[in-house]
Amino acid sequence: MGALLNQRFLTLAVLAVVIAVLPLVFPSSYYFRVASLVWVSALAAIGLNILMGQAGQVSLGHAAFFGIGAYSVAIGPAHLGIPPWAALFIGAALSAVLAYLVGRPILRLKGHYLAIATLGLGVLVALVISTESRWTGGPDGMPVERLTLFGWRVSGSYTWYWVTGALLLVGTWIALNLDETPTGRAFRALHDSEVAAQVVGVDVARFKLQAFVIAAVYASIAGSALAFMNGFINPDQAGFLHSVELVTIVVLGGLGSVVGSIVGAAVLVTLPQALTVFHEYEHLLLGLIIIVSMIFMRSGIVPSLSGLFLRRARA
């Protein structure tokens, strides 16, 4: 137990140091914005990793909850007069309720049937956002009122770097602690075998639903943060391609690894920026790099490199 506590503390300490040190080497505000996008993507991916990596459930429509969080902080203040900070919590609550109501029937499915069901949820939410133009602005999107806390207007790349970094630290701390709770152990049992988990007394349906709701709340808060940071939101954030991007981050970084979700987000967000110098070959090289990474690091970047270092240390 002591070793696990030290490992969790070390992980959080290293992440905090990275967040604190990076601004010292950033030459312009552009890098603060890119880093903020990494933190937001990592936060959403950590939640999805709880669902996929720990509980072993597939979701191809996770961007739906991201979109709900984003549009909640846009629609709430604009149409209902709700304070922006309150709209964030309302969006998280709506995502949790929707995940609970939809999760009860669809989480009875398994494998590719579950994947298609979650895909359908994502498509449905994206369709509603795109067609209800009176509320959402339709395909063109809508502006988002800036977040104000105690008279302080939260704006600017530098400020949002620290806000999103703090959110990531809190999200990472929760996920790391969850892993060693009875709920976390139940999630791992589900991942290994639902039948075996049920035999030893795990309420399979309840814990699958818990994982789905937790992942939805993570995505919603990440979506709200991105909407506040950009000051504008469009249906692409709730679309299928964004769901695929989130799944790619989780798998690339390493299923079941919280640190892997952060590393995967860093790679998938920053790599396209670095490859822009190749112009029309940018997407080709990005796809090639991801393919090669998965061929040689099948467990994901972090688990594969960790295993390699351990083997060399024992040699």
Side-chain angles (χ1 to χ4, degrees), residues 117-160:
T118 55
L119 173 60
L121 170 64
V123 170
L124 181 61
V125 171
L127 184 63
V128 170
I129 290 173
S130 296
T131 55
E132 292 296 326
S133 55
R134 187 171 68 89
W135 288 88
T136 66
D140 296 329
M142 67 182 295
V144 179
E145 184 179 328
R146 293 296 185 181
L147 178 64
T148 302
L149 296 172
F150 306 107
W152 173 50
R153 192 168 182 264
V154 186
S155 63
S157 300
Y158 181 79
T159 302
W160 275 107

Side-chain angles (χ1 to χ4, degrees), residues 279-295:
H279 303 295
E280 64 267 23
Y281 300 106
E282 172 192 344
H283 297 294
L284 175 65
L285 289 173
L286 176 62
L288 182 62
I289 290 171
I290 292 175
I291 290 172
V292 171
S293 298
M294 295 313 301
I295 289 174

Side-chain angles (χ1 to χ4, degrees), residues 27-304:
S28 68
S29 60
Y30 166 78
Y31 292 88
F32 283 96
R33 171 163 175 77
V34 172
S36 299
L37 292 174
V38 171
W39 305 154
V40 169
S41 297
L43 181 63
I46 287 173
L48 184 57
N49 192 40
I50 291 173
L51 178 65
M52 293 181 60
Q54 294 186 21
Q57 308 304 306
V58 180
S59 177
L60 293 180
H62 207 60
F65 302 111
F66 194 98
I68 289 172
Y71 274 91
S72 292
V73 298
I75 294 172
H79 295 291
L80 304 175
I82 299 172
W85 63 267
L88 183 149
F89 293 105
I90 291 172
L94 286 174
S95 295
V97 170
L98 180 62
Y100 179 83
L101 294 176
V102 174
R104 286 182 67 87
I106 70 171
L107 288 174
R108 299 177 186 274
L109 304 173
K110 297 179 182 179
H112 52 276
Y113 297 105
L114 175 59
I116 295 300
T118 55
L119 173 60
L121 170 64
V123 170
L124 181 61
V125 171
L127 184 63
V128 170
I129 290 173
S130 296
T131 55
E132 292 296 326
S133 55
R134 187 171 68 89
W135 288 88
T136 66
D140 296 329
M142 67 182 295
V144 179
E145 184 179 328
R146 293 296 185 181
L147 178 64
T148 302
L149 296 172
F150 306 107
W152 173 50
R153 192 168 182 264
V154 186
S155 63
S157 300
Y158 181 79
T159 302
W160 275 107
Y161 172 86
W162 294 108
V163 172
T164 54
L167 284 174
L168 177 61
L169 275 173
V170 173
T172 302
W173 174 72
I174 292 172
L176 289 173
N177 282 280
L178 176 67
D179 194 39
E180 294 306 320
T181 63
T183 299
R185 289 190 286 271
F187 288 166
R188 290 200 301 274
L190 290 176
H191 184 276
D192 294 336
S193 171
E194 290 186 18
V195 175
Q198 197 164 17
V199 167
V200 297
V202 174
D203 188 336
V204 172
R206 180 166 71 91
F207 283 108
K208 285 167 68 173
L209 192 57
Q210 281 187 14
F212 196 52
V213 170
I214 291 170
V217 171
Y218 266 85
S220 179
I221 293 174
S224 296
L226 182 66
F228 281 135
M229 184 171 67
N230 288 345
F232 189 85
I233 195 68
N234 62 54
D236 291 345
Q237 298 303 325
F240 171 66
L241 290 181
H242 192 204
S243 291
V244 172
E245 181 182 340
L246 292 174
V247 172
T248 304
I249 288 173
V250 172
V251 175
L252 183 65
L255 280 170
S257 170
V258 175
V259 177
S261 295
I262 301 172
V263 172
V267 171
L268 208 62
V269 172
T270 60
L271 197 55
Q273 310 297 326
L275 294 176
T276 52
V277 295
F278 295 100
H279 303 295
E280 64 267 23
Y281 300 106
E282 172 192 344
H283 297 294
L284 175 65
L285 289 173
L286 176 62
L288 182 62
I289 290 171
I290 292 175
I291 290 172
V292 171
S293 298
M294 295 313 301
I295 289 174
F296 291 99
M297 294 183 284
R298 297 179 183 179
S299 299
I301 296 173
V302 171
S304 297

